[in-house]
Amino acid sequence: MNAPAVIMLSASFLLLSLTAALAASAASAAPRRSYATVPGHPCIRSLEGTADAMSDLAEAHPSLASVITIGDSYLRENPGGAEANGAFPAGGYALKALVLTNGDAATASADKARVLIVAGHHPRELGPPELVLRFAERLLAGHGADAETTALLDRTEISLVFHANPDGRHVAEARRDLMWRKNANGGEHSSCGSSRLGVDLNRNYDFFWGDTSGGRASDDPCKSNYAGRRAFSEPESRAVRGLARRLFPRAQRRDDPEGSVDVPVGEDNTGVFVDVHSSGGYVFYPWGYEDSKSPDNDSLESLARKMASFNGYKLWAGGQPDFQYPVSGDASDYMYAAMGVASFGYEIGKAFYEDCDLFERKIAPDNIPSLM
């Protein structure tokens, strides 16, 4: 068996285990208490409601769930920056992750498979954090009631970042008219005006960072896909990178990922990364920086097709007919190229400010079983 096929065996096992567990526990999720929701979107919990739900899940399932702090937002590090826009949150936020695993299981922590799922890079995309939160609730409700889900949490550690850009989410909830996409870094770009400040966090990762050719990113601070002054210039992207470094083995990282784009990842590599966005109806995977296949394309495509079999989404990747456009400095390519993990993403739904009827009827039911 060649290296590209072998490397994805652990990822394939995780995918099959997760989808089987979620399908089996589809009716077992406990009813949710009432949480604060986004105005006009009663199906989607707000930044405050999500934080409360995380705390409640950890309290209700102390052996299965814990909340950790992974870093700070731009405004938490630079509280004076809130003056740049009246909608910016004073004091900023801590970035949190919900970690799911059975701490009492026989499998030692060091031997568990690791999955990292991130949502909220672009805060105007309301649906992804709610989808990932419901995924967490479904898993926790199924442990002890469903054999597949129980085995999954006994053998796997799943880290969930619901809001990778909490400052921006605060703005998106308070000022829908701004369609806020970036973070709240306005310290250097007063010429943009208060409504166009910030850095696009999903162009700030260190893989072909700063490549503006073909619209991959922008070096104009006023543009919506502005990549920042340098790779990982923003505390939010550094926080996600830091969590990935804690989860995925140092030995499988690449010091020169851009120089290794034609080299398959190592056959003993482990770990899965998923980045959830909206909208459009796509499952994406490397490469995203150009319309060409990665050296592990056959295995990645096979897993992506399994994911898409649940939601009917098209495949967005190099070499696919539905490749939309190239991007640089994004999280998905970075996690595969630099961290050496199987990496995927979603573009869920049909709108940034998602309609609740569609979310409840189609988006959540189709994508929760599809999520890794």
Side-chain angles (χ1 to χ4, degrees):
M1 186 178 294
N2 61 26
V6 176
I7 177 53
M8 297 302 167
L9 284 178
S10 62
S12 181
F13 173 77
L14 283 174
L15 268 175
L16 295 174
S17 298
L18 281 159
T19 52
L22 290 172
S25 62
S28 66
R32 301 194 307 273
R33 57 162 262 201
S34 178
Y35 293 101
T37 58
V38 177
H41 299 269
C43 62
I44 296 175
R45 278 164 282 193
S46 65
L47 195 61
E48 175 188 353
T50 301
D52 289 343
M54 290 174 69
S55 296
D56 285 351
L57 289 173
E59 182 178 351
H61 305 275
S63 65
L64 298 175
S66 60
V67 178
I68 63 172
T69 298
I70 64 170
D72 293 327
S73 70
Y74 178 83
L75 290 178
R76 189 172 175 89
E77 286 195 355
N78 305 273
E83 298 175 359
N85 184 312
F88 283 179
Y93 294 90
L95 271 70
K96 304 281 188 177
L98 182 69
V99 181
L100 306 182
T101 192
N102 183 3
D104 297 331
T107 304
S109 177
D111 296 328
K112 291 184 177 181
R114 298 238 174 10
V115 177
L116 172 57
I117 303 178
V118 175
H121 274 113
H122 296 147
R124 66 187 179 186
E125 301 169 8
L126 296 186
E130 177 66 26
L131 178 71
V132 178
L133 181 53
R134 294 191 188 194
F135 168 78
E137 291 169 333
R138 185 72 58 81
L139 285 176
L140 290 171
H143 190 271
D146 166 71
E148 294 281 359
T149 306
T150 301
L152 175 65
L153 290 181
D154 286 353
R155 300 169 183 169
T156 310
E157 181 179 306
I158 304 171
S159 297
L160 308 171
V161 179
F162 304 112
H163 291 290
N165 187 354
D167 290 348
R169 178 62 177 237
H170 179 99
V171 179
E173 293 181 7
R175 291 286 305 276
R176 175 172 177 165
D177 59 303
L178 295 178
M179 296 290 287
W180 203 267
R181 172 184 168 93
K182 300 190 282 184
N183 74 349
N185 181 352
E188 307 162 20
H189 317 308
S190 59
S191 62
C192 295
S194 63
S195 65
R196 295 191 293 164
L197 300 171
V199 171
D200 182 345
L201 297 179
N202 206 37
R203 300 295 184 273
N204 194 235
Y205 288 80
D206 194 10
F207 184 69
F208 288 101
W209 174 88
D211 181 354
T212 61
S213 63
R216 287 174 169 82
S218 177
D219 56 7
D220 181 348
C222 303
K223 297 296 186 181
S224 64
N225 61 344
Y226 173 54
R229 295 188 68 190
R230 61 185 179 279
F232 291 117
S233 60
E234 306 309 295
E236 295 94 344
S237 57
R238 293 197 301 271
V240 174
R241 178 187 63 179
L243 178 56
R245 285 178 169 176
R246 288 163 56 186
L247 295 174
F248 305 132
R250 173 66 183 91
Q252 69 186 44
R253 298 182 210 157
R254 289 173 164 172
D255 295 328
D256 181 21
E258 293 177 14
S260 306
V261 294
D262 296 323
V263 181
V265 297
E267 64 182 40
D268 295 322
N269 286 24
T270 62
V272 175
F273 174 77
V274 184
D275 190 21
V276 188
H277 290 263
S278 63
S279 60
Y282 297 95
V283 174
F284 59 85
Y285 58 92
W287 295 122
Y289 83 95
E290 67 177 12
D291 188 1
S292 66
K293 295 181 179 180
S294 78
D296 293 293
N297 180 80
D298 289 351
S299 297
L300 290 169
E301 180 180 341
S302 177
L303 296 178
R305 290 193 182 280
K306 288 184 175 69
M307 298 160 74
S309 69
F310 289 87
N311 53 29
Y313 285 0
K314 298 176 181 179
L315 301 186
W316 177 346
Q320 290 293 334
D322 291 299
F323 183 90
Q324 296 298 293
Y325 52 81
V327 300
S328 60
D330 80 304
S332 179
D333 272 5
Y334 171 80
M335 293 294 176
Y336 167 70
M339 293 289 173
V341 301
S343 183
F344 304 90
Y346 290 79
E347 294 281 356
I348 66 170
K350 294 184 177 181
F352 297 146
Y353 286 80
E354 196 62 71
D355 173 75
C356 273
D357 177 68
L358 181 64
F359 189 86
E360 297 287 12
R361 177 172 47 84
K362 187 73 175 170
I363 297 172
D366 286 356
N367 282 289
I368 289 177
S370 174
L371 261 174
M372 292 179 54

